[in-house]
Amino acid sequence: MTEARVELVINAFWPMVKAAVLVSIPLAVASFIIGMVIAVAVALVRVTPVEGIIHRIFLHIVKIYISIIRGTPLLVQISVVFYGLPAIGIFIDPIPAAIIGFSLNIGAYASETVRAAISSVPKGQWEAGYTIGMTYMQTFRRIIAPQAFRVAVPPLSNTFISLFKDTSLASVVTVTEMFRVAQQMANMSYDFLPIYIEAGLIYWCFCWVLFFVQARVEKRLERYVAK
């Protein structure tokens, strides 16, 4: 590696780390939280016994929503929100547009994880709640949700890690997250390989920390269940 490349890599390091800490991670966290709210709502619509025409309509809507999100690329979804909606008079700033795109995507995928976690709880737990006079939502909140949460944590942790990596797609809608900073640094020097490799290593380091946190959380949950 030449001296110029070494200097380029050193100069690019802190701007990329700063963008990761100040933009990429908050973007992932905000999108994940909103996405989980959507996921839980969608999962509840799907697992709740069908009663009445309103519920059936909502059930069809969430099925179409999941089908569309799972059947189209995330890049297309973000682009539609930022570049497509202005065609019908809806203008959204880059960061909110990215959050909307990521949240809708996470909501669809995570809803299947949440639904599976809820379904994994034995039906006898529901019956036990009803036996002591709880309503459907009381049974879900006090008995089912805590058990389903323990089942859902590992796959949802993987979902968050994947989301953090996917925040690089926000560069398409001009969000100055870590990968866009890498692009800017590479464009100024016309030396793309070392910058992109460095960006990949920084992503890997952040993901390694997230893997470590995930492992610790899972171990704590295992101990809690064992008790």
Side-chain angles (χ1 to χ4, degrees):
M1 182 178 285
T2 64
E3 183 178 342
R5 277 189 165 182
V6 171
E7 184 178 357
L8 176 63
V9 169
I10 293 174
N11 291 337
F13 179 75
W14 285 115
M16 285 195 287
V17 171
K18 182 179 179 181
V21 173
L22 298 182
V23 182
S24 297
I25 291 179
L27 181 61
V29 171
S31 300
F32 187 77
I33 292 173
I34 297 172
M36 285 307 304
V37 172
I38 297 172
V40 172
V42 169
L44 285 176
V45 171
R46 299 197 67 185
V47 301
T48 303
V50 178
E51 295 180 357
I53 186 64
I54 301 298
H55 190 179
R56 291 182 184 276
I57 292 173
F58 275 111
L59 187 59
H60 286 299
I61 290 174
V62 299
K63 285 183 177 180
I64 293 172
Y65 158 66
I66 292 173
S67 177
I68 291 174
I69 296 298
R70 296 181 69 183
T72 56
L74 176 55
L75 180 60
V76 172
Q77 296 161 18
I78 298 172
S79 298
V80 167
V81 174
F82 186 70
Y83 295 109
L85 292 182
I88 57 174
I90 301 175
F91 297 88
I92 305 176
D93 290 334
I95 290 181
I99 291 176
I100 291 171
F102 289 134
S103 299
L104 290 175
N105 187 272
I106 290 297
Y109 281 95
S111 68
E112 293 296 287
T113 301
V114 174
R115 182 177 66 86
I118 294 172
S119 299
S120 70
V121 179
K123 292 184 179 180
Q125 299 292 308
W126 289 97
E127 295 170 357
Y130 298 149
T131 299
I132 60 176
M134 289 185 180
T135 63
Y136 179 88
M137 288 307 299
Q138 288 175 331
T139 303
F140 173 77
R141 187 175 65 254
R142 298 178 183 179
I143 300 176
I144 305 302
Q147 299 180 64
F149 174 76
R150 291 195 292 270
V151 175
V153 163
L156 290 179
S157 299
N158 290 329
T159 299
F160 178 77
I161 293 171
S162 296
L163 174 61
F164 170 70
K165 293 182 291 184
D166 287 341
T167 56
S168 60
L169 295 176
S171 62
V172 175
V173 294
T174 71
V175 174
T176 310
E177 44 68 59
M178 193 182 86
F179 188 66
R180 185 167 180 82
V181 171
Q183 289 177 316
Q184 292 171 345
M185 299 294 291
N187 288 336
M188 287 189 295
S189 63
Y190 295 100
D191 196 358
F192 297 91
L193 182 60
I195 296 296
Y196 286 170
I197 290 177
E198 184 180 19
L201 290 173
I202 293 173
Y203 274 114
W204 176 76
C205 289
F206 274 98
C207 288
W208 186 87
V209 173
L210 294 174
F211 290 142
F212 176 77
V213 173
Q214 176 188 6
R216 294 296 296 271
V217 170
E218 289 180 14
K219 285 184 179 179
R220 292 181 71 89
L221 285 174
E222 288 174 2
R223 292 173 186 170
Y224 178 80
V225 172
K227 293 180 182 180

